[in-house]
Amino acid sequence: MKCPICRKETTRLFLKHKWWIRECEWCTHRNAELEPTPLHLEQVYGDDYFDGGGSGYVDYFGEAKLLRQRGQWYACKLRRHMQPGRLLDVGAAAGFILQGFLDKEWQGDGIEPNVMMANHAKEALHLSVCTTSLEDYENDAQYDLVSMIQVIAHFFDLRQAMKKASTLTRSGGHLLIETWNYKSLTARFFGKSWHE
């Protein structure tokens, strides 16, 4: 199996919940031995992902305040590198992180494949959130910042998603990517009990 990032060979490391975890020999990226399809988003990130625990959230809406603060935190941190501008929040869910950015003078849109979450963002928070995946997103807009907070591992076609993010980012713009790091202090501390 080829690495979804660099297309080099991968090797099996260990079995986790019936899936082999593979590691790229060149870039050390790790991924599950499966070929996601466009239906992957609907199957994995249905409504129960946000309200059923398991591999998702026990109560996503209960974390609204924390998520909004996380958006504000990122907006403040980014001031060292850029002024507030136009943002595209990929995987916006119910819009809480996007709302945090807007609290700090950003303007923005969101993309969210889960209909219930996107509807909450639109109806309850009055945010501009489109129900789609990044791979399928159609828009000629240019953004100063494209954020992918805890979503990059969920793309069914990583190369297509990153190409789309590149075309949506204006010249001189930025990508904000937050993802898991199996070499992090948290991962090392929890070892085999680390959630990822």
Side-chain angles (χ1 to χ4, degrees):
M1 185 172 183
K2 303 283 187 189
C3 174
I5 296 175
C6 69
R7 301 289 193 223
K8 304 284 187 188
E9 290 298 320
T10 63
T11 56
R12 285 180 168 176
L13 288 180
F14 55 88
L15 199 61
K16 180 83 173 183
H17 304 295
K18 79 177 180 166
W19 299 105
W20 276 102
I21 305 302
R22 301 183 71 95
E23 182 175 65
C24 177
E25 299 167 5
W26 190 77
C27 74
T28 71
H29 172 73
R30 289 184 178 178
N31 62 284
E33 188 178 278
L34 58 90
E35 291 291 332
T37 68
L39 294 177
H40 168 76
L41 292 174
E42 294 171 22
Q43 294 165 343
V44 176
Y45 304 103
D47 295 347
D48 60 336
Y49 177 82
F50 295 95
D51 194 25
S55 64
Y57 294 86
V58 174
D59 178 13
Y60 180 81
F61 289 103
E63 297 185 24
K65 183 177 179 182
L66 292 172
L67 292 165
R68 186 172 184 169
Q69 289 172 345
R70 189 70 172 168
Q72 294 167 349
W73 180 84
Y74 266 123
C76 291
K77 197 161 191 66
L78 284 167
R79 285 225 184 224
R80 290 188 244 157
H81 307 284
M82 63 190 305
Q83 290 300 308
R86 194 153 183 225
L87 159 75
L88 177 65
D89 184 21
V90 179
F96 303 131
I97 290 176
L98 176 58
Q99 190 177 44
F101 271 93
L102 273 68
D103 291 342
K104 297 294 181 178
E105 302 177 13
W106 284 83
Q107 301 165 7
D109 302 315
I111 298 172
E112 173 54 44
N114 181 285
V115 174
M116 179 182 76
M117 290 291 120
N119 285 344
H120 177 84
K122 290 185 278 194
E123 295 165 9
L125 304 178
H126 309 289
L127 300 174
S128 171
V129 175
C130 181
T131 307
T132 189
S133 67
L134 179 59
E135 294 92 333
D136 295 331
Y137 185 55
E138 295 296 330
N139 193 331
D140 294 329
Q142 290 281 281
Y143 295 92
D144 299 293
L145 178 68
V146 175
S147 71
M148 293 179 254
I149 298 172
Q150 297 295 335
V151 298
I152 198 164
H154 305 299
F155 295 129
F156 65 85
D157 186 333
L158 179 60
R159 287 177 170 262
Q160 182 183 350
M162 295 310 292
K163 184 176 181 181
K164 182 67 66 106
S166 177
T167 62
L168 291 166
T169 306
R170 71 162 179 80
S171 178
H174 293 79
L175 296 178
L176 168 59
I177 300 171
E178 177 188 284
T179 192
W180 308 283
N181 179 357
Y182 68 89
K183 294 180 181 178
S184 69
L185 179 62
T186 304
R188 287 182 288 152
F189 177 78
F190 283 102
K192 290 187 178 191
S193 298
W194 185 48
H195 74 286
E196 288 303 323

